[in-house]
Amino acid sequence: MSLLTRRRLLRRAALSATAAGAARTGLAGATLAGTAAVAVSGCDSPPERNTDADPDGGLRFPDGFGWGAATSAYQIEGAAKEDGRGESVWDTFSHTPGRTRNGDTGDVAADHYHRYAQDLDLMRELGLRSYRFSISWPRIQADGSGRPNQRGLDFYRRLLDGLHERGIAPMATLFHWDLPQALQDDGGWENRDTAERFADYADAVFRALGDRVPAWLTINEPKTVVQNGYIWGHHAPGHRDEAAAYLVAHHLQLAHGLAVQALRASGASGRIGPALNLHPCYPADDSAEAAAATRLYDGYENRLYLDSVFKGAYPQDVLADLGPDSRMVRGVRDGDLKIISSPVDLLAVQYYTPIYVTGGGGTVRKWPTSEAEWQQIYPEGMYDILTRVTRDYGRVPITITENGLPCPDTPGPDGTVDDAGRVSFLRDHFAAAHRAVRDGVPLESYHVWSLLDNFEWAEGYDQRWGLVYVDYASQRRVLKRSAHWYREVIRRNGL
Ligand code: FCB
């Protein structure tokens, strides 16, 4: 791999979702262009701003629009050793000194495993129509294979029943990064067999819970596992091995396709699709070099995952850049792309930030960043990525499964949490999504990240992304201003 490619990859990784740790060390390579480096920008803007209001005073979403919120198992559940749950790579990683901020772990997190009924009531109070959560693989198969653990399945059945009782549609992700440690010990996602193990796990879940789940997502953000887990190393499993990283990408894509096939074979009626964090990539300037570099960057950020699922081929420019001798290219077998491109029913898009690419393949920032330094606040990027996906990949139904902002929220003297900046952020992004719908994007639902403050991976509990504040000492929940505002948005079905 050439030096230029290597530098590019590292820069890309540093700017990826949840790469704040890397950025903090000053290794990110990105420069601030044209923005004031405000520590927590986005969190102190007034909520009254509505940049996109229709003249008639409102933005109404399609009837039945699925307003929702999202979480993931390791980030909220806690109960790390209960009811037969095995260890995941994130248990190992977070318990390794120096890996997470303050040495935080998901051992207790938001204690959702014990408080799920209360959390379901909060969802009802908010008026949520959809809830996107993930199933913990090591709760279902402690070692990543074999007979499913009934107690683990029972927890999710209770959760699903509670959602249905409250009229909230479940959307279940099969894998949100908590790979059973036993599989990691056998090579993890570098080992092709892990994709087969994933299909078996998925099959067990479909057979046990398929009657209660109308929508499934296979793998959350494969790109983040590739970049943060295997290139930059600040996510589990903490490797820095560029050659391995793209073989991992292929095996994650393969696992996705095998799970889609397993759902069809199980006879369960739910819909299924991938959950991809997509980054609109823009040239940093008008040069031909920047345009070319942006094109390749887009290949690594977006087309690698989209083209394989929707076109049955990896993008040629990325394959050429990796080279024929790369572990990934050598790891692709006949028939793999056919599996990966098994027809899906929906595409889950997670949008947080744009990327601006220079002629040299580096990146610059053009907009204020949030408390998560990898996140530039640019609502227009939401519109761009949604319309682009529809233009380039056809009218597959789209759900937004993540979008949100971290803020340094603290309760005031009266106990309320005034996250006015989050209200403003969400309003602008909802407006951008609304414009995309108006321009023909088949967007069905929108899940704010996140329902609750939670364990933000390498950032531990420092970053608060929730609509609902969690006081970790007492586990008390407080609806933030954004939650009250969101309830009104849902009630009115628009802004
Ligand atoms: C996404 C992850 C999610 C959360 C948000 C802030 O990349 O899928 O778990 O960490 O970022």
Side-chain angles (χ1 to χ4, degrees):
M1 193 174 288
S2 73
L3 190 62
L4 179 63
T5 304
R6 183 188 153 79
R7 249 200 346 258
R8 198 164 49 221
L9 290 174
L10 292 178
R11 290 186 177 196
R12 182 180 310 118
L15 279 177
S16 290
T18 53
R24 255 202 330 274
T25 64
L27 294 168
T31 56
L32 276 172
T35 60
V38 184
V40 286
S41 36
C43 291
D44 31 36
S45 33
E48 284 73 29
R49 197 156 47 95
N50 185 352
T51 51
D52 215 5
D54 277 351
D56 66 0
L59 299 179
R60 193 157 292 278
F61 279 70
D63 287 348
F65 191 75
W67 297 104
T71 63
S72 90
Y74 190 72
Q75 294 179 274
I76 63 165
E77 286 180 1
K81 293 193 188 307
E82 278 176 57
D83 292 341
R85 178 185 179 277
E87 297 220 330
S88 79
V89 292
W90 269 97
D91 294 289
T92 310
F93 191 78
S94 65
H95 279 272
T96 305
R99 288 304 207 174
T100 63
R101 174 103 57 137
N102 306 319
D104 289 344
T105 75
D107 287 0
V108 179
D111 197 29
H112 172 76
Y113 192 77
H114 299 117
R115 295 169 196 266
Y116 72 92
Q118 179 194 348
D119 292 339
L120 286 166
D121 287 343
L122 282 176
M123 293 180 216
R124 178 170 52 194
E125 205 180 323
L126 274 168
L128 294 193
R129 299 188 181 144
S130 181
Y131 175 53
R132 185 261 180 154
F133 64 101
S134 84
I135 294 173
S136 158
W137 187 348
R139 272 195 207 289
I140 308 303
Q141 292 175 321
D143 293 331
S145 60
R147 249 190 63 203
N149 168 24
Q150 193 56 48
R151 286 178 296 169
L153 290 170
D154 288 347
F155 168 69
Y156 294 107
R157 182 158 281 274
R158 290 196 296 276
L159 180 70
L160 289 164
D161 287 347
L163 288 166
H164 285 291
E165 279 159 21
R166 290 165 181 80
I168 302 167
M171 185 176 281
T173 309
L174 289 163
F175 179 72
H176 200 122
W177 306 348
D178 44 0
L179 185 73
Q181 181 60 42
L183 294 184
Q184 188 64 40
D185 296 342
D186 284 342
W189 289 110
E190 280 180 74
N191 182 349
R192 187 181 169 96
D193 189 54
T194 298
E196 302 287 346
R197 299 281 68 75
F198 180 71
D200 286 353
Y201 150 69
D203 177 68
V205 172
F206 296 147
R207 288 179 198 281
L209 305 173
D211 60 326
R212 309 299 277 155
V213 180
W216 298 95
L217 304 172
T218 52
I219 291 178
N220 180 70
E221 298 189 354
K223 182 173 69 188
T224 307
V225 177
V226 171
Q227 296 183 351
N228 295 6
Y230 280 86
I231 296 179
W232 198 253
H234 63 280
H235 273 194
H239 292 192
R240 290 183 181 207
D241 183 345
E242 296 153 32
Y246 288 96
L247 181 62
V248 164
H250 177 58
H251 291 157
L252 286 163
Q253 293 302 87
L254 186 62
H256 155 83
L258 289 169
V260 173
Q261 295 190 343
L263 178 73
R264 310 300 185 210
S266 76
S269 61
R271 301 190 299 162
I272 193 163
L276 305 178
N277 53 330
L278 301 177
H279 291 88
C281 297
Y282 308 96
D285 55 53
D286 291 340
S287 67
E289 290 79 11
T294 302
R295 175 81 189 150
L296 181 60
Y297 222 101
D298 176 71
Y300 277 104
E301 291 292 330
N302 304 313
R303 285 179 284 116
L304 186 63
Y305 306 92
L306 287 164
D307 283 15
S308 50
V309 170
F310 292 102
K311 297 186 172 173
Y314 285 119
Q316 279 307 327
D317 54 348
V318 173
L319 293 181
D321 191 62
L322 288 168
D325 295 330
S326 62
R327 285 184 70 191
M328 180 204 171
V329 173
R330 285 189 288 116
V332 178
R333 296 189 190 162
D334 281 355
D336 284 0
L337 267 310
K338 195 156 189 306
I339 295 169
I340 295 170
S341 60
S342 301
V344 295
D345 309 297
L346 74 165
L347 167 65
V349 173
Q350 318 203 148
Y351 171 71
Y352 287 98
T353 190
I355 296 178
Y356 292 86
V357 185
T358 66
T363 56
V364 293
R365 298 179 194 173
K366 294 223 173 192
W367 306 101
T369 54
S370 78
E371 211 186 17
E373 292 169 60
W374 48 266
Q375 182 182 31
Q376 297 176 63
I377 300 171
Y378 184 57
E380 195 63 23
M382 172 73 89
Y383 175 86
D384 288 351
I385 200 69
L386 291 174
T387 49
R388 180 262 177 109
V389 161
T390 299
R391 193 170 54 240
D392 290 356
Y393 298 94
R395 290 186 53 80
V396 55
I398 296 178
T399 171
I400 293 165
T401 38
E402 290 189 27
N403 170 245
L405 180 77
C407 289
D409 304 317
T410 39
D414 62 353
T416 63
V417 181
D418 188 0
D419 58 340
R422 184 174 285 111
V423 171
S424 171
F425 175 96
L426 290 174
R427 187 199 305 274
D428 291 347
H429 284 76
F430 290 173
H434 183 271
R435 254 183 317 117
V437 172
R438 203 188 55 199
D439 291 349
V441 171
L443 181 68
E444 297 184 342
S445 54
Y446 196 127
H447 303 82
V448 173
W449 184 270
S450 176
L451 175 68
L452 302 170
D453 289 340
N454 60 49
F455 174 79
E456 176 51 26
W457 310 112
E459 296 303 322
Y461 296 100
D462 253 32
Q463 277 179 16
R464 293 180 175 273
W465 291 79
L467 294 163
V468 176
Y469 180 86
V470 177
D471 173 41
Y472 293 111
S474 65
Q475 291 293 350
R476 210 165 55 88
R477 274 79 162 132
V478 180
L479 265 60
K480 299 178 192 176
R481 176 173 177 163
S482 59
H484 294 289
W485 173 83
Y486 192 32
R487 181 172 48 207
E488 278 307 296
V489 170
I490 297 172
R491 199 184 54 75
R492 293 203 309 262
N493 195 30
L495 299 171

